[in-house]
Amino acid sequence: MELYTHEEMLDRVVGEKGTPRRDAMEAELQSYLIGEAIKQARKAKNLTQEQLGELMGVQRAQVSRIENGHNLTIGTIVRAFKAMGVSAAFSFDGTSLSLC
């Protein structure tokens, strides 16, 4: 049985780095992870989606879309964390997000 690294499997199944399919998959993954970070921060603050929406000035449905990784912009991400009083540090190379 031949073993492959995670990176080798991604190259084989999704495509090599820099290809449109791989870039799309990685962007989708990053959006999902940011949405999950927002959801975890919201839950840690014991807020409902509706309550977070009120703090942000948006509807509950918009919070749901954000937490599912949709409609994400830097401004939206910052507003969500700021509304919860959570400091977040971003790396612009797309590899890290840390919450303080």
Side-chain angles (χ1 to χ4, degrees):
M1 175 182 253
E2 192 169 345
L3 299 176
Y4 299 95
T5 66
H6 178 72
E7 200 63 33
E8 289 171 332
M9 286 305 299
L10 281 174
D11 289 347
R12 293 178 127 212
V13 175
V14 181
E16 293 184 10
K17 283 190 177 195
T19 61
R21 186 172 175 204
R22 177 75 172 263
D23 289 346
M25 188 266 322
E26 289 180 355
E28 187 176 323
L29 176 60
Q30 288 299 318
S31 292
Y32 169 79
L33 293 174
I34 292 170
E36 278 296 308
I38 292 169
K39 181 190 294 185
Q40 293 303 315
R42 175 182 61 79
K43 288 182 175 186
K45 295 286 186 175
N46 294 315
L47 296 171
T48 65
Q49 286 182 338
E50 189 167 337
Q51 290 169 326
L52 177 56
E54 288 172 9
L55 292 171
M56 292 177 64
V58 299
Q59 299 292 316
R60 185 209 57 80
Q62 177 65 15
V63 173
S64 176
R65 285 190 292 274
I66 291 166
E67 290 182 350
N68 285 313
H70 303 290
N71 300 6
L72 288 179
T73 64
I74 295 293
T76 300
I77 296 164
V78 169
R79 250 178 48 205
F81 286 121
K82 189 173 182 179
M84 292 183 282
V86 175
S87 296
F90 301 94
S91 137
F92 286 101
D93 65 1
T95 60
S96 65
L97 166 70
S98 60
L99 304 176
C100 307

